[in-house]
């Protein structure tokens, strides 16, 4: 009878947990002097009472990813989040991290029975009207669906988050005082401030009742200041969804409509979050030293360098501005001794050099890929022990020096 129990639970463990935990339970069964019923109860209690060994479903993993880097941090033009969802749900046991989802990476994922691919760059970016195999990106989506593999992309949310891609990139030159180049703001819905006056308390009460009636379910916050000569001054905060009905209500009253002003409330900045980074180095280095440090940090044998006007390899670098990927627009006009990014256009490089900044280019994905190893450890620390996180071996930048 014990053998039957043992086989059942070994099967459960093989499907949901890592081999190390499987072996420890097997050893416990083999060595225990308990009765078969006691062994079964102990095994069941040990396995199911420890959440670190329980399988995780896709929603649970997505929740962890959201906690590590909220998708609201992504740029408005980006396409982030869950891009491919399997028809049949299954426990997430293997996650593959890649910078780009290519045919070779998909083959790798299929061979390892992967359940979730986290592709830094979104393989599906532009809207599509059909899903056909002749288009290589759509073919990847078809393959993922066929294999039951989910595909998730974080892209610029990882760039923006504190401790993300750009913080990792700027750290390659050395420690320093780091600030954000393009500030991120709270993801709270846009709100507006409506300011107007009323002649009397009675009119104020009537208008507020009408505003609440036309904005059912919407929280309207207001402050009132009374004056013996000017009546009542009201400052009303309403969300974007309540702006139109609120304005329409106020325009029906003479005094409020004549005094009405509308202001957009600025969203709260998120310190340390946003695109690009600027570092004032604790210990300045030469351009040559910065190049060597970045080669080591990125794991590359070669980088492209454009020396700033009147600069040499021995020129001192005190300030460094970085933007992972294609950083020309983010770095444009930034005052720094050195720019580091994956790629810039020919004329963006010329403009930077003319302004006195030296430029290091690594090619696009080489400025991002190294962060995957950092995120692998970070993600694994937030997942069940039954989930394995792996780095793609097939992922690489399409360009190489020959």
């Amino acid at each position: 009878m014990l053998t039957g129990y043992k086989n059942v639970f070994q099967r459960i463990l093989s499907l949901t947990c890592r081999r190390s935990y499987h072996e420890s339970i097997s050893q416990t069964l083999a060595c225990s002097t308990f009765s078969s019923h006691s062994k079964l109860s102990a095994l069941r209690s040990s396995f199911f009472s420890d959440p670190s060994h329980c399988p995780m479903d896709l929603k649970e993993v997505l929740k962890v990813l959201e906690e590590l880097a909220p998708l609201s941090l992504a740029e408005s033009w980006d396409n982030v989040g869950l891009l491919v969802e399997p028809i049949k749900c299954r426990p997430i046991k293997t996650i593959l991290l890649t910078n780009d989802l290519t045919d070779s990476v998909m083959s790798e994922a299929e061979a390892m029975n992967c359940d979730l691919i986290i592709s830094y760059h979104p393989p599906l970016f532009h809207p599509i009207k059909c899903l056909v195999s002749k288009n290589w990106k759509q073919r990847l989506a078809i393959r993922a669906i066929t294999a039951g593999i989910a595909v998730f992309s974080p892209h610029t949310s990882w760039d923006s988050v504190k401790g993300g891609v750009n913080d990792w990139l700027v750290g390659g030159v050395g420690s320093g005082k780091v600030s954000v180049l393009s500030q991120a703001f709270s993801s709270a819905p846009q709100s507006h401030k409506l300011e107007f006056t009323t002649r009397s308390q009675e009119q104020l009460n009537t208008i507020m009742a009408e505003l609440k009636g036309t904005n059912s379910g919407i929280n309207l916050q207001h402050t009132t200041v009374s004056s013996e000569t000017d009546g009542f001054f009201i400052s009303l905060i309403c969300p974007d969804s309540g702006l139109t009905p609120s304005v329409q209500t106020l325009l029906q009253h003479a005094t409020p409509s004549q005094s009405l002003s509308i202001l957009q409330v600025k969203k709260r900045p998120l310190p340390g979050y946003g695109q690009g980074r600027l570092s004032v180095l604790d210990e300045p280095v030469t351009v040559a030293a910065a190049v060597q440090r970045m080669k080591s940090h990125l794991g590359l044998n070669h980088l492209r360098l454009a020396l700033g006007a009147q600069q040499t390899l021995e020129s001192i670098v005190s300030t460094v501005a970085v933007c992972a990927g294609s950083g020309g627009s983010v770095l444009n006009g930034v005052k720094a001794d050195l720019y580091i990014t994956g790629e810039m256009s020919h004329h963006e490089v010329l403009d930077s050099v003319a302004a006195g900044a030296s430029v290091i280019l690594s090619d696009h994905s080489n400025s991002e890929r190294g962060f995957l190893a950092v995120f692998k450890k970070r993600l694994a620390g937030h997942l069940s022990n039954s989930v394995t996180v792996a780095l793609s071996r097939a992922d690489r930048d399409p360009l190489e020096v020959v």
Side-chain angles (χ1 to χ4, degrees):
M1 180 66 107
L2 175 58
T3 301
Y5 290 148
K6 182 176 178 180
N7 290 339
V8 169
F9 278 97
Q10 283 181 333
R11 177 59 178 163
I12 293 174
L13 289 166
S14 68
L15 291 173
T16 58
C17 294
R18 287 182 175 176
R19 181 171 177 81
S20 59
Y21 187 67
H22 173 205
E23 291 174 344
S24 67
I25 293 295
S26 299
Q27 291 170 1
T28 300
L29 279 170
C31 299
S32 175
T33 58
F34 294 160
S35 67
S36 62
H37 177 74
S38 298
K39 288 180 179 181
L40 177 60
S41 299
L43 178 57
R44 183 190 295 113
S45 175
S46 173
F47 177 66
F48 289 105
S49 65
D50 187 352
S52 68
H53 296 294
C54 295
M56 300 182 71
D57 62 28
L58 180 59
K59 289 183 179 180
E60 290 175 309
V61 176
L62 293 179
K63 182 179 179 181
V64 170
L65 291 170
E66 175 68 16
E67 292 171 351
L68 293 176
L71 294 177
S72 60
L73 293 173
E75 296 297 294
S76 59
W77 48 261
D78 208 354
N79 189 38
V80 296
L82 184 63
L83 304 185
V84 176
E85 182 177 13
I87 296 174
K88 294 183 179 180
C89 296
R90 67 188 190 194
I92 302 298
K93 295 181 289 184
T94 304
I95 298 174
L96 182 65
L97 299 180
T98 183
N99 204 82
D100 293 286
L101 182 54
T102 60
D103 280 312
S104 58
V105 173
M106 179 57 74
S107 295
E108 179 184 18
E110 292 167 337
M112 65 192 303
N113 294 319
C114 176
D115 304 297
L116 170 63
I117 297 173
I118 299 178
S119 176
Y120 169 76
H121 286 138
L124 298 176
F125 188 81
H126 300 290
I128 57 176
K129 294 184 178 181
C130 59
L131 202 59
V132 294
S133 59
K134 67 180 181 180
N135 179 289
W136 75 273
K137 289 187 176 181
Q138 294 175 24
R139 183 170 64 248
L140 291 174
I142 294 172
R143 290 175 65 181
I145 293 172
T146 303
I149 302 173
V151 179
F152 175 91
S153 176
H155 202 201
T156 52
S157 66
W158 280 12
D159 296 345
S160 179
V161 72
K162 185 185 294 185
V165 179
N166 281 307
D167 283 311
W168 165 81
L169 183 61
V170 78
V173 184
S175 62
K177 183 178 180 181
V178 178
S179 57
V180 174
L181 293 179
S182 180
Q183 180 68 57
F185 293 88
S186 168
S187 60
Q190 182 64 58
S191 58
H192 305 269
K193 179 187 290 187
L194 307 182
E195 296 179 338
F196 58 93
T197 58
T198 62
R199 296 188 309 274
S200 63
Q201 181 69 54
E202 181 180 1
Q203 186 182 44
L204 172 60
N205 294 340
T206 299
I207 291 174
M208 291 308 301
E210 291 178 2
L211 286 171
K212 291 179 181 179
T214 57
N215 290 280
S216 179
I218 298 177
N219 183 30
L220 300 176
Q221 300 176 342
H222 75 282
T223 57
T224 303
V225 178
S226 61
S227 170
E228 294 183 0
T229 57
D230 300 324
F232 296 85
F233 175 80
I234 299 91
S235 178
L236 174 74
I237 302 295
C238 71
D240 197 54
S241 59
L243 178 61
T244 298
S246 296
V247 171
Q248 289 175 341
T249 298
L250 293 172
L251 291 178
Q252 296 174 9
H253 300 269
T255 303
S257 65
Q258 293 174 2
S259 60
L260 178 62
S261 67
I262 305 173
L263 303 172
Q264 190 176 73
V265 178
K266 291 184 177 181
K267 292 187 175 183
R268 178 175 57 86
L270 300 175
Y273 294 76
Q275 301 301 319
R277 296 293 187 270
L278 175 68
S279 178
V280 180
L281 297 177
D282 293 333
E283 297 182 5
V285 298
T286 63
V287 172
V291 169
Q292 292 304 315
R293 290 187 181 187
M294 291 309 300
K295 284 182 178 180
S296 176
H297 189 61
L298 300 177
L300 300 173
N301 294 322
H302 302 90
L303 291 169
R304 289 189 289 170
L305 171 68
L307 286 169
Q310 311 303 317
Q311 303 298 306
T312 70
L313 287 174
E314 298 306 314
S315 295
I316 296 299
V317 174
S318 299
T319 53
V320 181
V322 309
C323 181
S326 182
S329 60
V330 174
L331 299 175
N332 182 35
V334 175
K335 299 295 182 181
D337 301 320
L338 177 65
Y339 291 170
I340 300 175
T341 186
E343 60 181 340
M344 294 172 69
S345 73
H346 174 75
H347 294 286
E348 287 172 335
V349 174
L350 289 179
D351 290 341
S352 303
V353 167
S358 296
V359 178
I360 291 178
L361 301 180
S362 64
D363 285 333
H364 191 113
S365 68
N366 289 333
S367 66
E368 306 156 337
R369 184 169 290 102
F371 177 73
L372 295 178
V374 176
F375 190 78
K376 174 188 174 182
K377 295 180 181 179
R378 192 175 299 173
L379 177 60
H382 288 76
L383 299 177
S384 163
N385 290 338
S386 66
V387 182
T388 299
V389 183
L391 292 177
S392 172
R393 295 176 178 271
D395 178 44
R396 57 179 52 83
D397 196 275
L399 294 170
E400 58 181 288
V401 178
V402 296

